[in-house]
Amino acid sequence: MPEEQEFSQFDDADPRINYKVRAKKTLEEYKQLDAEDESLAKWKESLGLSNDILPLEFPGDKRKVVIKSINLLVDTEAEPITFDLATEESIKQLASIRYKIKEKAVYKLKITFKVQHEIITGLRYVQYIKKAGISVDKIDDHLGSYAPNTETKPFYEVELPESEAPSGFIGRGCYSAVSKFIDDDQTNHLTLNWSVEIVKK
């Protein structure tokens, strides 16, 4: 499967959002913002703004969202299927692996990630799905807004809604997927190419 796939039928931009995102503030500016505003203080607390921010994933790392792992949780499997995202090479190799899921199995993704450098707002998980070269589905799930991780909160973990694998002669077969992590200002933090094969029970 090619490293990058075109899904021109779909648009990365969320059609529900038609406003321009304001200029981002630094972490220090957020901490000092309207210190006497109780509602704003609660909002900042909910984002996890704190002084014990973790160091970067590695020195000089410019990434703002670091996807640590993705687990494909399938109800028919005792152990989750884990996507290896440790290196750029392992991410590229992900495209050549075909994971098998039994028809009618209930599955979901669990995403573990880290935020660094600045607050990320409106992070979304967008997934495009093709079968036999034809676009069959698009998933667009809102993950939320996050402050850089701290010693007390070293990573974030989000489970996406459950889905049921298709079944029958038409439903079985190979599906290719392109997954993206996009924030409010349309920054794409990571693109993953992967595939599954829906097999008979």
Side-chain angles (χ1 to χ4, degrees):
M1 184 171 65
E3 192 174 314
E4 289 289 340
Q5 300 184 29
E6 293 296 331
F7 287 79
S8 57
Q9 294 93 330
F10 298 117
D11 183 4
D12 284 343
D14 187 339
R16 294 165 296 181
I17 299 176
N18 55 10
Y19 62 86
K20 189 175 288 186
V21 179
R22 295 179 181 177
K24 289 188 176 180
K25 298 182 184 295
T26 65
L27 291 175
E28 195 57 38
E29 286 174 330
Y30 270 118
K31 289 179 182 177
Q32 300 301 324
L33 187 63
D34 295 335
E36 297 180 359
D37 187 327
E38 184 179 351
S39 62
L40 186 57
K42 289 182 179 179
W43 175 76
K44 290 190 291 184
E45 183 181 350
S46 72
L47 283 180
L49 286 174
S50 174
N51 293 320
D52 60 339
I53 293 175
L54 289 178
L56 301 180
E57 196 70 4
F58 57 80
D61 187 0
K62 295 182 179 180
R63 293 176 297 171
K64 296 173 184 176
V65 178
V66 181
I67 309 301
K68 304 281 285 179
S69 67
I70 296 179
N71 288 328
L72 179 58
L73 309 175
V74 186
D75 67 347
T76 56
E77 303 295 331
E79 296 294 329
I81 297 170
T82 302
F83 294 179
D84 183 0
L85 308 177
T87 64
E88 289 186 12
E89 186 61 30
S90 64
I91 291 174
K92 289 179 181 179
Q93 290 176 351
L94 184 65
S96 62
I97 302 171
R98 186 175 295 163
Y99 300 99
K100 292 187 177 183
I101 299 177
K102 293 179 181 178
E103 60 182 343
K104 289 192 174 181
V106 176
Y107 65 91
K108 61 182 174 181
L109 291 177
K110 182 170 74 173
I111 303 165
T112 303
F113 61 97
K114 174 184 176 182
V115 172
Q116 52 189 22
H117 292 296
E118 65 182 44
I119 292 173
I120 296 297
T121 58
L123 187 64
R124 295 152 48 212
Y125 174 82
V126 183
Q127 178 177 289
Y128 312 92
I129 304 168
K130 275 188 174 185
K131 183 182 182 186
I134 300 173
S135 298
V136 295
D137 198 10
K138 177 186 176 183
I139 296 170
D140 192 338
D141 284 320
H142 183 70
L143 304 183
S145 299
Y146 301 90
N149 286 97
T150 64
E151 292 179 6
T152 54
K153 187 69 176 178
F155 59 85
Y156 297 110
E157 196 170 77
V158 177
E159 289 189 2
L160 301 186
E162 291 182 339
S163 297
E164 183 177 283
S167 61
F169 178 76
I170 299 297
R172 293 192 294 269
C174 298
Y175 294 78
S176 59
V178 174
S179 299
K180 297 184 178 184
F181 294 85
I182 303 171
D183 65 21
D184 264 350
D185 60 10
Q186 300 306 309
T187 299
N188 179 22
H189 297 280
L190 179 66
T191 297
L192 297 173
N193 292 275
W194 54 287
S195 63
V196 298
E197 181 179 1
I198 306 300
V199 299
K200 199 170 184 177
K201 281 187 177 181

